[in-house]
Amino acid sequence: MEVNVTDLRKKFAELFGADGEAKAYFAPGRVNLIGEHTDYNGGHVFPCALTIGTYGIIRPRQDRTIRFYSLNFSDMGIVETSLDDLAPSESAGWTNYPKGIFWTFEKRGYHLETGADILIYGNIPAGSGLSSSASLEVLTGLMLRDTFGFDIPMADLALIGQYSENNFNGMNCGIMDQFASAMGKKDCAIFLDTNTLNYEYAPVKLPDATIVITNSNVKHSLVSSAYNDRRRESETALKDLQSVTQIQTLGDLTEDAFEQYKDAIKDPICRKRAKHAVYENQRTIKAVEALKKNDIATFGKLINASHVSLRDDYETSCPETDLLAELAWNVPGVYGSRITGGGFGGCTVSIVKKESVDLFIQTLDKAYTSKTGIKAEFYVVDIGDGAHALD
Ligand code: GLA
């Protein structure tokens, strides 16, 4: 996992030549502690940036060519495109993410005269749901901003990343992942109101515990279409509710107000989706209050309730992540555990007493493999800073 930036620079010089100044950047992945599928429902989220993420080396060119190379997709070799040909294509593979950022810069009026040579390396496990694509988007935005001298606040780089993912890559994601990658802060989670983009850093001080991410190593297919379905179902629920109460988003409702108005939602599936969005938002607010009071037990209970709601009402969990969460709940010393991120596979996040981490890993490792035949992976993670230049 350790990344040596000098080695990345050497590789860059080998591929693209050694003349001219190349600069190095990093953008992190994220883990969301609580507030899942609330970011496109006008609710709160509580993610933190990780110390793993995506590294980039960039040097501007004199012409309109863009050349990309990723050490993670070295079989694709150097992928070449032009500033005059910024349309998504299947053959462009991973480069559709950075290409989308070039495209979005143009759309937003940040005009680029010349292209660039770009080397990428990421150390987020593939398909883990820890936001490798968002980190690549934010990284590219930051590299373009600095290389071509634009004045763009970091939060806007997050919005550029989201716009690109929605409109260039066809994934209708919310703002959470890009925001966490751009705005993260060491040892803090970001309490973000996705309705206003107001945010506050909350120190994650866990006196006797640590954050453990467990990778189920499964990614079920159709993730982006199932995700887009959830968005539509939530929107349908909102429209029905708006016929009986004046709200802008599901995040405007308390639990009591939801119970009062819920019968206006005609479709029972949409009603369940809205229930999750409303309750999860309120859980997130309560979880941050609990964390601020150092009440880790309450924080953990809310995390568990989030999993149950994602499993039963939002239906974005899957048997493998359900198993990981249930196993975790039964290990002494675990405050809380739930699926994290978009869902349908990926990772769980658990708050585990330091003295119980070994037991936690041993227990889940054994039981998970024996029940599923799949090997889980465990990462005891640190919370890192948002995207930044490395020199
Ligand atoms: C994905 C999306 C985010 C968010 C989560 C679910 O990670 O990119 O915007 O909606 O799913 O909370």
Side-chain angles (χ1 to χ4, degrees):
M1 287 259 195
E2 268 301 298
V3 176
N4 184 332
V5 179
T6 311
D7 288 347
L8 296 182
R9 287 183 170 287
K10 272 192 206 139
K11 186 73 190 171
F12 182 93
E14 239 171 66
L15 289 163
F16 299 124
D19 292 347
E21 197 194 2
K23 292 206 150 210
Y25 293 86
F26 172 74
R30 65 94 189 89
V31 65
N32 188 23
L33 298 180
I34 192 164
E36 214 66 81
H37 291 280
T38 45
D39 65 347
Y40 50 85
N41 281 316
H44 293 77
V45 292
F46 197 47
C48 39
L50 298 171
T51 52
I52 51 173
T54 310
Y55 291 76
I57 313 273
I58 183 167
R59 188 176 57 207
R61 293 177 57 88
Q62 303 300 321
D63 58 13
R64 294 183 62 75
T65 301
I66 309 167
R67 294 193 294 176
F68 297 111
Y69 182 89
S70 167
L71 287 155
N72 303 89
F73 298 94
S74 51
D75 50 335
M76 280 180 74
I78 293 175
V79 181
E80 194 168 312
T81 184
S82 154
L83 279 173
D84 303 309
D85 178 23
L86 293 176
S89 73
E90 217 169 288
S91 63
W94 72 272
T95 69
N96 280 315
Y97 289 102
K99 253 174 99 171
I101 303 297
F102 278 87
W103 177 82
T104 307
F105 264 60
E106 281 298 328
K107 280 217 137 230
R108 299 249 162 142
Y110 302 118
H111 180 62
L112 301 173
E113 286 293 337
T114 61
D117 290 333
I118 295 178
L119 173 94
I120 297 291
Y121 173 67
N123 61 355
I124 299 175
S128 58
L130 299 176
S131 292
S132 54
S133 28
S135 71
L136 178 54
E137 289 155 2
V138 170
L139 173 79
T140 309
L142 177 63
M143 292 196 300
L144 295 187
R145 178 190 86 170
D146 281 11
T147 306
F148 297 103
F150 296 113
D151 183 15
I152 310 174
M154 289 304 286
D156 285 2
L157 290 181
L159 289 164
I160 287 174
Q162 183 201 16
Y163 184 91
S164 172
E165 184 142 351
N166 291 172
N167 297 289
F168 197 85
N169 298 96
M171 166 77 180
N172 232 346
C173 65
I175 188 63
M176 172 171 73
D177 305 349
Q178 291 81 3
F179 201 91
S181 182
M183 304 293 290
K185 184 169 166 186
K186 190 171 161 43
D187 297 330
C188 291
I190 310 171
F191 182 42
L192 170 69
D193 178 344
T194 61
N195 218 2
T196 57
L197 293 191
N198 288 336
Y199 65 95
E200 177 193 323
Y201 292 114
V204 180
K205 285 185 266 149
L206 304 170
D208 64 345
T210 188
I211 302 172
V212 184
I213 296 177
T214 307
N215 190 348
S216 68
N217 273 320
V218 295
K219 193 83 218 165
H220 292 285
S221 54
L222 302 176
V223 175
S224 74
S225 69
Y227 182 94
N228 292 344
D229 287 348
R230 294 300 180 283
R231 276 200 80 144
R232 260 194 307 277
E233 288 155 359
S234 302
E235 276 156 23
T236 306
L238 175 64
K239 279 205 192 91
D240 286 348
L241 286 167
Q242 282 169 333
S243 67
V244 290
T245 177
Q246 284 196 333
I247 51 167
Q248 303 298 317
T249 69
L250 294 176
D252 293 342
L253 289 178
T254 59
E255 295 104 325
D256 285 349
F258 175 77
E259 295 302 330
Q260 188 184 339
Y261 297 123
K262 68 180 180 192
D263 292 337
I265 308 170
K266 294 180 211 88
D267 178 0
I269 299 275
C270 297
R271 205 178 305 136
K272 286 210 294 187
R273 305 299 189 242
K275 180 179 176 205
H276 167 79
V278 170
Y279 278 70
E280 179 75 356
N281 181 41
Q282 298 300 327
R283 267 193 292 273
T284 306
I285 296 167
K286 288 178 195 149
V288 176
E289 274 164 22
L291 188 66
K292 282 184 181 165
K293 287 192 220 140
N294 268 325
D295 181 357
I296 313 300
T298 301
F299 185 62
K301 283 195 189 114
L302 292 160
I303 287 180
N304 293 346
S306 166
H307 183 87
V308 171
S309 177
L310 289 159
R311 182 190 67 193
D312 299 343
D313 288 332
Y314 219 65
E315 296 180 278
T316 50
S317 189
C318 63
E320 293 84 358
T321 42
D322 285 344
L323 176 61
L324 286 174
E326 278 156 29
L327 288 168
W329 297 339
N330 289 317
V331 176
V334 172
Y335 284 110
S337 182
R338 66 177 202 89
I339 185 171
T340 183
F344 311 102
C347 293
T348 59
V349 59
S350 309
I351 309 295
V352 185
K353 278 196 178 156
K354 285 178 190 147
E355 65 200 30
S356 307
V357 169
D358 288 345
L359 175 68
F360 172 88
I361 295 178
Q362 277 160 23
T363 311
L364 269 67
D365 184 32
K366 201 157 162 241
Y368 184 71
T369 306
S370 92
K371 291 217 168 113
T372 63
I374 304 164
K375 190 112 186 78
E377 279 170 57
F378 300 86
Y379 322 116
V380 178
V381 295
D382 293 319
I383 302 179
D385 281 321
H388 53 274
L390 291 172
D391 41 25

